Amino acid sequence: MLARVRSGALMGIDAVVVECEVDMALGLPYFNVVGLPEGAVRESKVRVVSALKNTGFELPQKRITVNLAPADLRKDGVAFELPIALGVLAAAKLLEDEPLARYLFGGELSLDGSLKRIKGVLPLAVAARDRGFEGVMVPAANAAEAALVEGMSVIPVTSLREAVDHLTGTHVIAPYRREGPSVTATRGRPEPDMADVRGQPELKLALELAAAGGHNLLMCGPPGSGKTMLARRLPSILPAMTFTEALEVTKVYSVLGLLGEGHALVRERPFRAPHHTLSDAGLVGGGPLARPGELSLAHHGVLFLDELPEFRRNVLEVLRQPLEEGIIHLARANQNISYPCQVMLVAAMNPCPCGYFNVPGHTCTCPEHRVFDYHARVSGPLLDRVDITLQTRPVEYHHLARAEPRESTSRHHRERVEAARQRQRERYRDEPGVHCNAQLPSHLLRRHCILSPRAERMLELAVRHHGLSARAHDRLLKLALTRADLEGHGRIEDVDMQLAIDCRALDRRGWLHANTHGGGASHARSGARGPGMPSGPRPPEHPE
């Protein structure tokens, strides 16, 4: 007798419908699983047989063959155990085929027949909706996650016996109901506040600018100047995710099984800070099963790379294409997978290996060639994709000595960021896939970036005088547009363009050479106040 039960196999962050065909025929007792199963799937036959027996079902002494179609798709994980067990019962004429055709099934079986939590339930529910199934039957621990998909009937079961009783009509289980669907994913636990950082008002405004437009940012400065503290407080000023964004992030975490107990929806924007020993596969994804990496785990959030030059060169270079396109393509011998990665890259680095090159009051012990080699670890093409590059300075004593610091709070910055993002949503309401200025494609720049004559002249002088690339030109426009959104300007004014140019300090050709050979290095080694890293290329204040 042949029975068919549908389940799903993960391919990237999506699920592909898999048909579990169970054939029960005369012959020596034997249980075989075919269809390119991985180790956990091959072992599932042992758990299925024990769960059926311990639940009270007597299996006939026949030859059982399970085929997972399509046969050329690799099957991994333990979600196939519930559909295989139900298929065996249907092949033994203990279940009807009609109720099995209405659902997609997924669940891991214990030896006593109870169901355990599994990975990738949200993609499974999305696949069920897209393929026209009535609903899904999943472990009760995953019900809230599956119910995030609107219009799906989610049947939560705790054991194989409950699943069989529902399908036979003996004891019908009510579909799981999600409480209070919301348009936005509200914030959960309290986040570190921007008011904790003493001083550094320019850097706080730079982070506000980056958050308002979704721009990449690099901070360069001595140890203890607040780079990491500021980066870790960036999520506190970002706007709350929309429900659609939260679903996209939740799919990534669901595939990796990182959704905590009782947390069906990822509500906070991700903040990922991998160590510099990270591999390229760990960053962009890969491995035997081509799972998502840190880049996709930071989707719609922040990827923070501390000690940027300490990362291996090949790891940093794989960031180029994903930062441009917002998606990472993994090509393997047997499959091609794409993962989303619309992230804000925030990086921090010291000015030299010892950390005190051109820092007032400190002596740099690094030879000049080591300073150059240190900065050369971060390639020009990667820096070209960073919108804001700024220097941090040591915090002055009077900021540290205040008993009651008068610092701007994250709430203050977030209100300004949300107002700027609202202007961008209205501007791009007819542009699919564009939600903030950083995502604006090049062919739409001049349609949405209206410059005053003085701002246009400033941009022209900056590009010509400092040899900026076409990419840097586009990013300057986007950055100036974000500054105009923050200040409520109807067009890009000269003050907006001036700030955008100042925020791209590393675009100034030869700045490092000038600091080491033009007096900067000698000042740094003597401990005197030198010119330091330039604040950015400054065109004339009154261009003709």
Side-chain angles (χ1 to χ4, degrees), residues 213-226:
H215 301 287
N216 302 325
L217 178 138
L218 169 63
M219 294 176 284
C220 180
S225 56

Side-chain angles (χ1 to χ4, degrees), residues 217 270-274 278 283 294-296 298 301-306 319 323 343-347:
L217 178 138
F271 180 88
R272 306 294 298 185
L278 183 73
L283 180 61
E294 291 289 338
L295 195 60
S296 296
V302 177
L303 177 66
F304 177 48
L305 301 183
D306 203 358
L319 286 172
L323 289 179
V343 302
M344 282 182 60
L345 174 65
V346 178

Side-chain angles (χ1 to χ4, degrees), residues 150-165:
E150 296 289 347
M152 291 302 299
S153 176
V154 179
I155 307 300
V157 290
T158 60
S159 65
L160 178 60
R161 171 58 68 180
E162 279 190 7
V164 173
D165 289 346

